[in-house]
Amino acid sequence: MRWAIPAAVVPVLVLLAYGFRTDPREIPSPLLGRPAAAFSLTTFAGSPLSLEDLRGKVVMLNFWASWCVPACYEEAPALERTWRAYKDKGVMVVGVDVQDKEEAAREFLRRFDHSFPNAPDPRGRVSVDYGVYGVPETFFIDRKGRVRFKHVGALTDEIARRHLDALLKEPS
Amino acid sequence: MIPELGYGATVAAFVLALWGAVAAVASARTGRAALLRSGERAAVGAWALVTACIALMLYAFLTFDFSVQYVAVNTNRGTPFYYRITALWGALEGSIVLWSWMLSIYTLIVVVQYRRRQPELYPWVLSVMLGILAFFLLVMTIPAPPFERLTPIPADGRGLNPLLQDSGMITHPVALYLGFTGFTVPFAFAMAALIVGRTGEEWITITRRWTIIAWYFLSLGLLIGGWWSYHVLGWGGYWAWDPVENAAFMPFLTATAFLHSVMVQERRRMLKLWNLSLIILTFGLTIFGTFLTRSGIIGSVHSFTQGSIGVFFLAFLALVLLGSFSLLASRVERLRAEGVLDSVVSRESTFLLNNLFLVAATFTVFFGTVFPLLSEAVRGVKISVGAPFFNLVNIPVFLALLFLMGVGPLIAWRRASAKNLKRNFLKPVVAGLVAAAALRALGVANGLVLTTMALVVFVAGTIALDLFRAVRARRRSGDDWGAATWGLLLRQNRRYGGFIVHLGILVIALGVAGSQAWSVQKEVTLDKGQSTELAGYHVRFDGLSASEESNHGKVTGAFTVTNGRAGGHMLYPAKKFYPQEQSPIAAVDYQLGWIEDIYLVLGDFAPDGSHATVKLQVNRMVSWLWLGGLVLTLGAALAILPDARRPA
């Protein structure tokens, strides 16, 4: 009987341990399965960039910022590696720079030697359309132009590869 | 350089704390005093090293040393001097440093105070405190290293969370943590008493005083948190039953329960098992609170970091709860009550009821807080319970507690006679009913306000009556009124300190009831020059202006507020745009008053300043919360004073 006191603690601890399996920040995006919002931006290099032109390709749309320490810095090399590995397979990687100072953003791109198109989002309109909550966030858009996956936080090669391979396997 | 120095100091402090904990136990087992002295030196060393960590971190913040990742994330070159210091505890890693530092200070105080006075308990107390300190230092070493190096070194940092750039953030976490860490001392004494098997009265006396100190800091932390929420977050409220608020509220409830039930043990040698359980629960809840805040298992407005830290805290929580409750279970025989409950109408049973209500409130808050987890585990759906649940369950409980607050201190021990009841309670009960009836006649129809008012007047009446009688008795021995009152407060500081704390709670209760019942708000879009009216206030929109502050841009609205009586005054609610934030932060403007606050939040606006949306609130009696906090502070200070009647 006396051991009922310590024993009563156990279920509470089990429940809390269960909590690790869940992620309260993982809010499912209502955009999943919906057509991705159109955008047209001008890249840092000065060329036009619109989602419309990328139809038929699998698009990995990454929202980042130079002030986003450390997650954006962690994922930056993985983005470039993914781009190099997939650019000939019908994948487009697009970076959208959110609420940033232009100089700092250019410095960031130089540091990581990003060769895929990156554009500032001057009035934050694209990030609002995609319901970006914080940076980095990455959206995977299929060939038909629908948002299929959303990744919150730093992207890794494995996660990018998994989503891209899945989307590339689908018939166009 | 700083990252390496800091990391070295952390590891060294961990080793010292661990050694100290082991040495203290060994000395208790073997009786070798040299080991105990070594443990004490380890405690001093650990304190010095954690102090060095704090100093290094401050230095890194003040010199913008962005090679320290924590500095780079929580400050930037525009961060004002003031907030470069508070950024120290603005996020996870730094707040653990602050926690460890306070814990090391409490440990030092214990060493200085009790090394001679409590030879039997002291080695165990020291060991438990150093063991807990070692845990926090371990967290600083592995899952949440504050001195993590950042390479390459960025040119500028991210900047402190704008919501934390407020004066409340200087005092709120400090007070809260002094409260949280303070409960370690009573816990350590309780464990020592259980281990040694001396479950008599002396540990209780020591523990009670330490619990009041920790309780007071925790109350202060909660109130300052409410103030921060009220004047920074811009929703016009001070309490939202957010998981993190609940995390700090639960130990407050159990500690309050302990502070009352401990009197029953002192007086009647009852409730020993119960009191020990409350101490363990209170300490366990402080760890649970940190776990909840820091593991990120439950979403909250105080969204902090995730990572392996949650696992560390859960393991530690398991160790604390299972270990201490098992120890308690193994000592059950020694904890039998020596007294018995004689009558339901007695102070013992009033205190028991008070405890029952407080623990019930703790349980409902706990249940509501972990409910999203529970529902996800059982039904696979994440459902949160909001303020309606907490209010529905807790308001009746808190009203009942108010009632007991009036009864408890004056009802007789053992068995109250009809004469005792009539003498102490007849007049206050009448006063409470008359007050409620008068309010009703004045047109107040809100049941909650009327009930609260009746209870508040009743309780205040019992206190006033008691004080009046005691002062009158002292006056017979020749003192004048002032000297008699003052002498009484000092001589029976514990009793009257408690009464003053009760008065503070009454003032807070009125503030809560009044603000819940009578606050009004509306949201309107005004053209430049246009006015609107709310509860007798006329508010005119005079235009917008933009400015560039050191680390953010700011758009300020100008509003003229007139209320008919006096001339108008200006209020300037603003929106701040921090480059590192997605959305702008509202900067509220308000004018506080004893009866009501006028409170303006700027919403959307036209870039050319032609029109703006503004949220107007007239919040009634919110200031009473802050006033109540002040009264509570005075009472707690009086109660903490060394007891004048016996030598401490």
Side-chain angles (χ1 to χ4, degrees), chain B residues 439-517:
Chain B
L439 270 189
R440 184 74 192 83
L442 285 170
V444 175
N446 187 299
L448 179 62
V449 173
L450 291 175
T451 316
T452 310
M453 195 51 158
L455 288 170
V456 165
V457 171
F458 162 66
V459 179
T462 59
I463 296 174
L465 194 62
D466 181 76
L467 188 65
F468 171 73
R469 283 185 185 140
V471 171
R472 197 176 52 187
R474 280 184 72 85
R475 256 177 61 78
R476 295 211 184 96
S477 57
D479 289 347
D480 65 25
W481 283 104
T485 314
W486 190 239
L488 196 67
L489 290 183
L490 286 183
R491 198 155 298 231
Q492 295 202 41
N493 62 310
R494 206 177 132 178
R495 178 178 178 81
Y496 289 101
F499 276 155
I500 293 173
V501 169
H502 281 182
L503 285 176
I505 304 272
L506 294 181
V507 175
I508 292 172
L510 283 179
V512 171
S515 62
Q516 292 296 315

Side-chain angles (χ1 to χ4, degrees), chain B residues 257-275:
Chain B
F258 172 78
L259 286 175
H260 292 90
S261 63
V262 73
M263 292 182 231
V264 181
Q265 176 165 355
E266 281 178 304
R267 187 75 179 228
R268 301 290 326 275
R269 312 257 187 279
M270 292 158 64
L271 302 182
K272 294 178 181 178
L273 185 67
W274 176 248
N275 282 328

Side-chain angles (χ1 to χ4, degrees), chain A residues 2 5 20 22 24-25 67 99, chain B residues 296 303 310 329 333 580-582:
Chain A
R2 60 164 68 171
I5 308 174
F20 290 123
T22 67
R25 253 164 286 279
W67 45 261
Q99 296 215 354
Chain B
S303 53
E333 284 79 16
Q580 74 266 33
E581 291 298 312
Q582 290 285 308

